[in-house]
Amino acid sequence: MTKEHANWSPYDNNGGTCVAIAGADYCVIAADTRMSTGYSILTRDYSKICKLADKSFMASSGFQADVKALQKVLSSRHLIYQHQHNKQMSCPAMAQLLSNTLYYKRFFPYYAFNVLGGLDSEGKGCVFTYDAVGSYERVGYSAQGSGATLITPFLDNQLKSPSPLLLPAKDAVTPLSEAEAVDLVKTCFASATERDIYTGDSVEIIILNANGVRRESEQLRKD
Amino acid sequence: MFRNQYDTDVTTWSPAGRLFQVEYAMEAVKQGSAAIGLRSKTHAVLACVNKANSELSSHQRKIFKVDDHIGVAIAGLTADGRVLSRYMRSECINYGYTYEAPLPVGRLVVQLADKAQVCTQRSWKRPYGVGLLVAGLDESGAHLYYNCPSGNYFEYQAFAIGSRSQAAKTYLERKFESFPGSSRDDLIKDALFAIRETLQGEKLTSSVCTVAVVGVGEAFNILDQATVQALINEFEISGEEAPATASVAEEGAGDAAADQGGAAAEEEVAPMDI
């Protein structure tokens, strides 16, 4: 008595990897720009990062159609917030909104694996990591997507973030400087590109700090 | 004579073919404090007089940002205006979500007008008691519309609504032909002159008025008090009068001279609005 399976799936996985690292007064959000389906490449130049607010950037891997829809919903909600409160949403507030938005579709989820990076109200870097249905926590760094399993152990070794369950609460942000963190991210992607077929082409890096936003791009292996 | 018999609800016609409840709603607009709007080819300016209930309370907000390319100034029942602004914002957000493009102003005012019309044809509703000056930008340039409680809307080069708006309208009628080619700053200056007309002798300061601009390359924004006061000082100090073609400017009270040290601001006595 084998169960009949659907011959069509509403989901597809477009691959890719996203990383974010929180610093004392900066935040680095990065994602590769390859979009694939199956064993084919759809494009080598697709941005997985979206600016949700002045101090909140979201990088998402997974099914890009769902990612796009999620980005649009959050952007519209942010507009409403700005009209009602006359100010931008803080990153922790956006984090909660993202969680609620994902859980809203608990029974037909957004196939999106998100990392939210930005600056909190004190100007410190913050990174939030999510699963597909909205479970989230604030961490010092995170990786999501096809290359996450390759990158996370490396970041664990380099950044050694304390557990959020520890008492007294320890600061999760890394003591690394901004330049060191950006370099670390480039190393992560270079390594992941070697072994993960879905990661490569180029990496888009967003650096957020008190002075504003900076964007960097680095070429990766195209095979 | 027959007015009182046929004005009980909005769904009753008078023998002369009028809906008195709708006309009464338009009266409510005339009671609100003045709001004026004017536009050139590339910019639109909204300005309004701030009324506070008492010295202790804050001013009522009469200018609302609807989207980056649209703003609205209201006169009349501010609560109704707030609700309609919320509707307009919602429409802009939904259109932007669906089409990834800004909602054309012309479309928005039609939706607004249709919404107002509904309230003139339901016995369990009442017309909105607010007039809206909608200033916006689209592919063909800057636009200014007036939406009234009746559900009608008109496009204007310049317009004024609210109490003592006739004074501003008279000023605008004199100057409107020069507006299409006006620069952004000249447009704002004209707006301030028009507001001054409605003040009927009261001193024009940035605490009494609010000014907002939208234009090509400039998202809708409300100018801050310091900027507005600086602009007012500019033309008060130079002793500039509201440029007149036929009317003669009279010397106003010397109170302006006391703080500016310059020539006293000339005021023109304009006919009172009804």
Side-chain angles (χ1 to χ4, degrees):
Chain A
M1 301 295 113
T2 50
K3 194 167 177 186
E4 197 181 293
H5 276 110
N7 51 10
W8 176 83
S9 166
Y11 296 114
D12 187 16
N13 191 347
N14 299 121
T17 309
C18 305
V19 171
I21 300 181
D25 61 350
Y26 65 86
C27 186
V28 181
I29 305 106
D32 73 320
T33 60
R34 173 177 289 178
M35 185 168 161
S36 23
T37 178
Y39 288 123
S40 307
I41 291 180
L42 288 171
T43 178
R44 298 187 188 276
D45 189 18
Y46 188 81
S47 174
K48 299 195 212 353
I49 305 181
C50 176
K51 176 179 171 179
L52 296 178
D54 270 353
K55 307 228 171 104
S56 302
F57 283 77
M58 179 175 77
S60 321
S61 72
F63 181 37
Q64 290 302 320
D66 273 357
V67 168
K68 187 59 139 204
L70 181 62
Q71 289 170 352
K72 286 176 74 151
V73 165
L74 291 170
S75 296
S76 297
R77 288 299 302 270
H78 187 229
L79 264 181
I80 296 172
Y81 182 97
Q82 284 178 83
H83 280 140
Q84 289 175 342
H85 299 90
N86 236 7
K87 62 170 185 162
Q88 297 267 322
M89 262 176 109
S90 67
C91 197
M94 186 59 82
Q96 185 67 56
L97 178 63
L98 173 53
S99 171
N100 293 347
T101 308
L102 290 169
Y103 197 80
Y104 197 72
K105 277 180 47 84
R106 170 67 177 82
F107 300 110
F108 184 10
Y110 288 106
Y111 195 91
F113 300 98
N114 312 295
V115 249
L116 184 72
L119 300 172
D120 65 14
S121 340
E122 296 163 16
K124 286 203 281 199
C126 59
V127 169
F128 299 89
T129 189
Y130 295 79
D131 71 359
V133 285
S135 162
Y136 81 110
E137 75 174 322
R138 181 170 176 173
V139 288
Y141 61 89
S142 176
Q144 291 276 2
S146 56
T149 47
L150 298 163
I151 292 176
T152 308
F154 176 59
L155 288 179
D156 286 339
N157 173 265
Q158 296 294 310
L159 298 176
K160 247 196 289 230
S161 181
S163 162
L165 301 168
L166 268 178
L167 277 175
K170 277 218 200 120
D171 221 358
V173 299
T174 176
L176 283 180
S177 77
E178 187 184 296
E180 287 172 328
V182 173
D183 218 52
L184 186 64
V185 162
K186 290 179 183 172
T187 312
C188 286
F189 275 91
S191 307
T193 304
E194 290 293 318
R195 294 285 177 168
D196 176 25
I197 59 172
Y198 300 107
T199 303
D201 293 328
S202 80
V203 56
E204 182 189 6
I205 307 174
I206 303 274
I207 305 109
L208 201 58
N209 58 26
N211 304 330
V213 196
R214 205 172 83 244
R215 202 180 157 275
E216 271 187 48
S217 184
E218 186 91 348
Q219 293 300 307
L220 296 170
R221 281 184 66 164
K222 308 205 186 293
D223 63 355
Chain B
M1 186 172 59
F2 291 113
R3 214 151 114 126
N4 292 332
Q5 278 182 284
Y6 304 103
D7 66 358
T8 312
D9 56 58
V10 74
T11 51
T12 305
W13 289 99
S14 81
R18 294 157 69 168
L19 290 169
F20 285 119
Q21 278 297 310
V22 177
E23 295 185 22
Y24 294 163
M26 314 227 296
E27 278 300 312
V29 178
K30 293 189 196 150
Q31 299 305 320
S33 53
I36 66 126
L38 30 85
R39 67 152 169 114
S40 69
K41 281 225 172 56
T42 55
H43 287 79
V45 175
L46 294 171
C48 68
V49 172
N50 292 334
K51 270 292 156 64
N53 280 341
S54 74
E55 270 177 34
L56 299 168
S57 77
S58 63
H59 297 301
Q60 279 208 315
R61 258 208 318 158
K62 283 161 51 81
I63 297 188
F64 299 92
K65 173 169 171 169
V66 167
D67 203 343
D68 281 341
H69 65 299
I70 302 180
V72 61
I74 62 170
L77 265 52
T78 0
D80 283 2
R82 209 177 52 237
V83 159
L84 287 176
S85 303
R86 194 161 55 227
Y87 167 74
M88 291 165 80
R89 286 170 174 170
S90 171
E91 290 300 298
C92 285
I93 290 175
N94 288 333
Y95 188 92
Y97 182 94
T98 311
Y99 299 102
E100 301 262 338
L103 175 57
V105 208
R107 299 269 204 97
L108 180 60
V109 295
V110 178
Q111 285 175 255
L112 200 52
D114 288 347
K115 194 170 161 72
Q117 191 279 340
V118 167
C119 298
T120 67
Q121 213 174 6
R122 306 278 184 273
S123 58
W124 62 91
K125 287 182 183 251
R126 64 154 178 84
Y128 288 105
V130 64
L132 302 108
L133 282 171
V134 184
L137 209 63
D138 68 18
E139 289 165 345
S140 52
H143 298 274
L144 175 72
Y145 292 90
Y146 171 55
N147 278 71
C148 65
S150 61
N152 275 332
Y153 68 96
F154 309 93
E155 185 166 3
Y156 285 96
Q157 189 72 50
F159 200 50
I161 55 175
S163 73
R164 297 197 283 223
S165 57
Q166 189 51 53
K169 268 189 267 193
T170 312
Y171 171 81
L172 294 170
E173 273 164 26
R174 277 207 311 270
K175 293 232 42 217
F176 79 95
E177 265 149 357
S178 69
F179 289 162
S182 276
S183 72
R184 172 190 183 275
D185 291 339
D186 281 341
L187 218 56
I188 297 176
K189 214 161 62 162
D190 279 318
L192 287 166
F193 278 131
I195 286 287
R196 198 173 63 176
E197 297 296 312
T198 70
L199 291 175
Q200 302 279 289
E202 234 181 279
K203 183 152 164 56
L204 174 67
T205 65
S206 62
S207 56
V208 174
C209 66
T210 310
V211 182
V213 195
V214 64
V216 175
E218 182 178 3
F220 185 88
N221 65 99
I222 299 178
L223 303 182
D224 65 282
Q225 281 217 325
T227 315
V228 178
Q229 189 59 50
L231 288 162
I232 295 174
N233 293 344
E234 238 178 73
F235 64 75
E236 299 257 297
I237 283 178
S238 65
E240 217 177 313
E241 55 181 84
T245 47
S247 347
V248 176
E250 302 160 28
E251 286 295 323
D255 56 329
D259 24 356
Q260 308 296 358
E266 292 100 335
E267 307 283 10
E268 287 188 297
V269 179
M272 278 291 286
D273 195 12
I274 310 138

